[in-house]
Amino acid sequence: MTPGFDRLPTGLEFAQQWAQLPPEHLRIALKALEPQLAREHAYRMAKERLAHRLLMTGLIMGFGLSLVMLVAAVLVGLQGQSWLAALFSGPSMVTLVGMFVLRKFEFPRGRAIKAPLEPSTSSGPAPEPDAPAA
């Protein structure tokens, strides 16, 4: 790898460099680059297939989970436990379906999580950097 390069050059960059040479050399270079271009294409396709599979799995899981929670809400509601039925069909179902289908993982943050990140608001002068701790 050449110093200063953070990545390997692509096939197009190789072809642009070799385009300045005679056609015979360019033909040989392109023939040599063909396997690399095929590997790059196969990698991109595999990555897209994996992303599609992950999306479809989330959609199916979200649908199944919402269906199970609605059935549970109906069964519990028929037994007279309306609060539990409301919990099954209300915010918990919306949250879980949102996690699987919409892929939103936003959780509310409490004060305990933010406290270490915020600067202290204690009164008094700040200690000197070179001064020993008391």
Side-chain angles (χ1 to χ4, degrees):
M1 231 173 146
T2 308
F5 281 82
D6 293 338
R7 61 175 178 80
L8 292 173
T10 63
L12 179 61
E13 292 170 347
F14 276 125
Q16 287 174 345
Q17 291 173 359
W18 280 82
Q20 300 167 357
L21 296 175
E24 300 84 30
H25 291 266
L26 181 60
R27 191 174 304 120
I28 293 170
L30 289 176
K31 191 176 272 191
L33 283 176
E34 193 172 339
Q36 178 186 352
L37 294 174
R39 281 192 304 271
E40 289 174 0
H41 178 70
Y43 175 74
R44 282 193 307 272
M45 290 295 110
K47 194 174 177 181
E48 288 179 16
R49 271 195 305 270
L50 182 62
H52 179 71
R53 186 179 303 153
L54 184 63
L55 178 67
M56 286 295 118
T57 302
L59 288 174
I60 292 169
M61 292 290 290
F63 177 73
L65 187 61
S66 64
L67 188 65
V68 166
M69 289 183 80
L70 282 175
V71 167
V74 168
L75 292 177
V76 171
L78 289 175
Q79 293 177 358
Q81 299 176 354
S82 59
W83 282 103
L84 190 55
L87 286 176
F88 274 134
S89 63
S92 58
M93 184 175 77
V94 170
T95 302
L96 289 174
V97 170
M99 285 173 58
F100 283 103
V101 177
L102 302 176
R103 301 211 186 293
K104 290 187 178 179
F105 300 101
E106 297 174 5
F107 297 109
R109 295 185 179 148
R111 182 129 174 94
I113 294 174
K114 288 184 179 179
L117 300 176
E118 295 174 358
S120 63
T121 58
S122 63
S123 61
E128 293 292 325
D130 297 332

